[in-house]
């Protein structure tokens, strides 16, 4: 089930460590990240997995704990997960 499957698996546990609110494939919130739409905020997803990285002009990358992450080309429901994959959720504005 990929990245969304990991989140669903985590949320099936008693303590629900990573609550997520989705509207279709759009993430309204995840954990304590709750973007403010009145400020044009949204949740951007970054990944370390090359096949899921965005390839458009101006795609953003950042470094997190020594790993280069690039904005995902997919929503969370289309992302892959392999051993060692790093996925970062971040509030950004547009």
């Amino acid at each position: 089930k990929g990245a969304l499957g990991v989140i669903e698996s985590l949320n099936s546990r008693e303590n629900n460590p990573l609550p997520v609110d989705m509207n279709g494939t759009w993430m309204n919130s995840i954990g304590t990240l709750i973007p403010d739409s009145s400020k044009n905020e949204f949740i951007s997803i970054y990944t370390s997995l090359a096949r899921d990285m965005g390839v458009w002009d101006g795609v953003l990358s950042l470094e997190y704990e020594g790993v280069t992450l690039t904005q995902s080309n997919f929503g969370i429901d289309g992302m892959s997960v392999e051993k060692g994959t790093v996925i970062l959720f971040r509030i950004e504005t547009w």
Side-chain angles (χ1 to χ4, degrees):
K1 281 191 164 188
L4 183 57
V6 171
I7 291 171
E8 290 170 344
S9 177
L10 285 171
N11 286 333
S12 69
R13 298 178 182 178
E14 271 183 44
N15 60 354
N16 195 13
L18 195 61
V20 62
D21 175 32
M22 295 185 67
N23 181 6
T25 60
W26 184 260
M27 287 188 128
N28 296 320
S29 66
I30 184 165
T32 59
L33 291 180
I34 304 170
D36 184 341
S37 61
S38 70
K39 297 178 182 176
N40 295 325
E41 293 179 344
F42 66 99
I43 296 175
S44 185
I45 307 171
Y46 289 76
T47 183
S48 64
L49 196 57
R51 71 170 174 249
D52 285 352
M53 292 177 177
V55 293
W56 61 90
D57 288 340
V59 67
L60 298 178
S61 292
L62 54 84
E63 190 167 313
Y64 177 78
E65 295 187 1
V67 177
T68 299
L69 306 174
T70 301
Q71 284 177 313
S72 176
N73 197 44
F74 305 101
I76 193 68
D77 62 323
M79 293 177 66
S80 307
V81 176
E82 295 177 355
K83 185 175 182 174
T85 300
V86 176
I87 296 175
L88 178 118
F89 302 94
R90 178 176 149 160
I91 292 180
E92 296 183 347
T93 58
W94 50 291

